[in-house]
Amino acid sequence: SLLLLSRYFNDMSKVIDDHQGIVIEFIGDAILSVFGSPMKNPDHPTACVKAALGMLSALDKINHWGLARGLPEIRIRCGVHTGHVMIGNMGFQSRMKYGVVGAE
């Protein structure tokens, strides 16, 4: 349901924010986020892994909330990648977004 998806995006985005990550976009039910940009963080890989673990923990609260409302239980997977990227505003005049593209 949209109610469950909205709660999921809200709670997971907060976990990402709390670990100095930036949510780039929602892709279906997935969340694309980056760590270490635009503000530099030399420990961004650790922050990312801690955020992923925090998201798994937050999922228990979301599922408890949802089950009390008759909503289905959800499961997630977290992918962590590291490397050099190009990040910033990309696109063209009528369609611009802050995005990320692998540089390697």
Side-chain angles (χ1 to χ4, degrees), residues 6 9 30 32 47 53 55 61 66 72 78 80-81 85 89 93-95 103:
S6 293
F9 284 148
L32 175 62
L53 294 172
M55 292 169 71
K61 294 176 189 166
C78 298
V80 176
H81 304 273
V85 298
N89 292 325
Q93 188 174 2
S94 64
R95 173 89 61 191

Side-chain angles (χ1 to χ4, degrees), residues 1-2 4 6 9 12-13 17-19 22 28-29 40-41 46 51-52 61 76 81 87 96:
S1 81
L2 286 178
L4 180 56
S6 293
F9 284 148
M12 294 303 175
S13 295
D17 291 345
D18 289 348
H19 290 87
I22 301 292
D29 61 357
K40 299 289 183 205
N41 177 359
T46 301
K61 294 176 189 166
I76 65 170
H81 304 273
I87 189 164
M96 186 71 63

Side-chain angles (χ1 to χ4, degrees), residues 16-55:
I16 293 165
D17 291 345
D18 289 348
H19 290 87
Q20 290 74 52
I22 301 292
V23 173
I24 299 289
E25 65 183 316
F26 303 119
I27 308 165
D29 61 357
I31 302 170
L32 175 62
S33 62
V34 296
F35 293 77
S37 185
M39 297 185 328
K40 299 289 183 205
N41 177 359
D43 202 27
H44 66 273
T46 301
C48 181
V49 170
K50 286 182 178 180
L53 294 172
M55 292 169 71

